[in-house]
Amino acid sequence: FITIAETSGLIYSLGQFVLARACRDLLVHNDLKLSVNISPAQFRDPEFEEKVSRVLKSSGFPPARLQLEVTETYVLEKPERARAAISALKALGTAVALDDFGTGYSSIGYLRRFNFDTIKIDKSLAGLVDNDEQAAALVSGTVRIANALGMAVVAEGVETEKQMKLLRLAGCDQLQGFWFSQPMPIESIRALRQV
């Protein structure tokens, strides 16, 4: 439905609602960071950074706890707009992550040019480390490049203990996937934190 929301223009209000709701829901959990995916259509909006700023101010959510995730497809389509938006978002105090790294035209050049805080290695690459030597080598190389550029690395799509161990050995800073948890509503997260 994201495609329909983008083509109809509803993505702007929907994206703002999601960001505001997530900030409000996680505000009290001050030891947790929040990461929110941003659609290319939102990122194209010249008022996007101001809208993020308004959400942060109205919710009281600390910018340092927010990370916005963008995909490499959009960054490559509109490099000047992307660079300006990333710079403005970082000036607000938020972090910016490159999502789905390894699915498209992954390039060291644009990693340097756009100054991301984090790169997220896509499941299509990270999920192969336990049975594909080339994928394992690419993940290790990506980690080394990211470290040289001062970026953190998150591996997505971790589904087995073996993948988890290999990705940790490769030097990934964080891991996410079904091995740790299925997606869950905020009420379930709150219940887990009270145990």
Side-chain angles (χ1 to χ4, degrees), residues 105-152:
Y105 305 100
S106 306
S107 158
I108 296 169
Y110 77 74
L111 287 179
R112 291 184 68 199
R113 188 167 63 231
F114 294 106
N115 193 27
F116 295 102
D117 298 288
T118 302
I119 61 171
K120 298 186 75 176
I121 302 175
D122 190 72
K123 174 185 176 176
S124 64
L125 183 58
L128 298 177
V129 295
D130 55 344
N131 59 23
D132 183 329
E133 288 182 23
Q134 189 177 48
L138 288 169
V139 167
S140 293
T142 299
V143 170
R144 286 194 301 277
I145 290 166
N147 288 341
L149 295 171
M151 298 174 190

Side-chain angles (χ1 to χ4, degrees), residues 121 126 139 143 147 153-155 166-175:
I121 302 175
V139 167
V143 170
N147 288 341
V153 179
V154 177
L166 289 169
L167 290 163
R168 281 194 175 149
L169 284 172
C172 293
D173 299 291
Q174 295 179 355
L175 308 174

Side-chain angles (χ1 to χ4, degrees), residues 22-150:
C23 286
R24 189 176 72 237
D25 284 351
L26 258 68
L27 181 63
V28 296
H29 301 288
N30 52 15
D31 59 327
L32 293 180
K33 292 198 173 198
L34 171 63
S35 196
V36 178
N37 288 85
I38 302 303
S39 87
Q42 285 176 275
F43 211 58
R44 276 185 222 110
D45 179 359
E47 297 178 9
F48 177 65
E49 301 92 313
E50 179 55 35
K51 290 176 180 176
V52 170
S53 178
R54 285 197 300 264
V55 167
L56 290 170
K57 286 176 185 161
S58 66
S59 68
F61 196 82
R65 288 179 50 204
L66 177 63
Q67 175 171 268
L68 300 171
E69 299 182 15
V70 298
T71 60
E72 62 184 339
T73 307
Y74 177 69
V75 167
L76 293 177
E77 282 175 7
K78 305 280 185 185
E80 291 313 310
R81 165 66 188 139
R83 193 156 61 189
I86 290 167
S87 178
L89 290 166
K90 291 179 78 156
L92 291 175
T94 67
V96 180
L98 178 64
D99 196 17
D100 301 335
F101 186 80
T103 59
Y105 305 100
S106 306
S107 158
I108 296 169
Y110 77 74
L111 287 179
R112 291 184 68 199
R113 188 167 63 231
F114 294 106
N115 193 27
F116 295 102
D117 298 288
T118 302
I119 61 171
K120 298 186 75 176
I121 302 175
D122 190 72
K123 174 185 176 176
S124 64
L125 183 58
L128 298 177
V129 295
D130 55 344
N131 59 23
D132 183 329
E133 288 182 23
Q134 189 177 48
L138 288 169
V139 167
S140 293
T142 299
V143 170
R144 286 194 301 277
I145 290 166
N147 288 341
L149 295 171

